[in-house]
Amino acid sequence: MKKATTSVPGPDSTVADPSKVPLIDIVRGLTTGQAWKLGGTFVAIMISAAVAGKWIEGWQREKAISAAVAPKDKEITELSSKVASLSGSIDELKASISESRNEIQELATRLVDAKRFIAFADKYLTYLSTNDDPARSILADHVCMLYRESQQAEIGVSTSTASVARILQDASGPSSRNVLVAAGYDTPFID
């Protein structure tokens, strides 16, 4: 193969303006080696540009995600601490509600017991003041009703209806007083 000679233009020759030379003429003027080098360089530039663009895009995406996630992470941390403190408050409130319900239940039980005592004391005092047979039967019926209710509520009254009626026949006797004291009635109300 013969090497192509390049001619250098002389001082008198006119050189065409490179911006006006058509691209096809420039490409036709290239040798095969130069064309391969130019094509390889072009491909290398394109691949480098694609890789650099992909890397910049990934970096920008990571930067945007980090910028968007950081406030959300902070908000999640704040909300988690609020949830933890509120769950403690909720547990305290549940305990307080449970205690209040227990107190209400106790007060309701005491109120029912007080109403029962008032009804019993009314009937007992009526019986003591009149000493009549109808008053005695009303009192005995009331004691029987209290006994049935105690059995239903399982509060532990254990005297039978017949023995209560017999004991209360002699209201001033010590046995009736002992039965009433054992049932939980205060002695000033009995005397």
Side-chain angles (χ1 to χ4, degrees):
M1 258 192 168
K2 191 176 179 186
K3 197 171 189 189
T5 59
T6 55
S7 61
V8 178
D12 294 345
S13 65
T14 61
V15 175
D17 185 13
S19 63
K20 293 185 181 177
V21 176
L23 185 60
I24 192 77
D25 289 341
I26 295 173
V27 172
R28 280 190 194 144
L30 294 176
T31 63
T32 307
Q34 289 174 334
W36 277 107
K37 287 178 188 176
L38 182 63
T41 304
F42 180 73
V43 168
I45 290 172
M46 294 304 284
I47 290 173
S48 299
V51 168
K54 194 69 170 170
W55 180 81
I56 290 172
E57 180 185 3
W59 175 71
Q60 289 290 339
R61 184 177 295 133
E62 287 296 322
K63 185 178 172 184
I65 289 172
S66 297
V69 168
K72 296 297 179 186
D73 284 342
K74 183 179 177 185
E75 184 178 349
I76 288 170
T77 304
E78 291 172 358
L79 290 175
S80 295
S81 65
K82 283 182 182 179
V83 164
S85 67
L86 289 176
S87 67
S89 298
I90 288 172
D91 291 340
E92 291 172 6
L93 289 173
K94 284 181 180 178
S96 174
I97 288 170
S98 178
E99 289 174 10
S100 297
R101 284 183 179 159
N102 291 341
E103 288 178 21
I104 289 171
Q105 187 67 29
E106 279 182 32
L107 290 174
T109 303
R110 289 179 63 192
L111 181 63
V112 167
D113 289 344
K115 286 180 180 179
R116 285 181 181 159
F117 175 74
I118 290 169
F120 173 78
D122 180 48
K123 289 173 180 45
Y124 180 67
L125 292 174
T126 303
Y127 169 70
L128 287 179
S129 65
T130 61
N131 209 7
D132 284 349
D133 193 37
R136 184 173 45 93
S137 69
I138 290 173
L139 179 62
D141 289 343
H142 186 70
V143 170
C144 290
M145 187 264 316
L146 288 175
Y147 176 72
R148 278 192 308 271
E149 286 180 0
S150 71
Q151 289 300 313
Q152 290 172 355
E154 296 180 0
I155 58 174
V157 176
S158 62
T159 57
S160 68
T161 308
S163 65
V164 170
R166 267 182 277 141
I167 291 169
L168 292 178
Q169 283 179 347
D170 183 22
S172 60
S175 60
S176 62
R177 185 175 190 278
N178 291 341
V179 168
L180 295 174
V181 169
Y185 295 106
D186 292 333
T187 53
F189 292 112
I190 298 169
D191 294 334

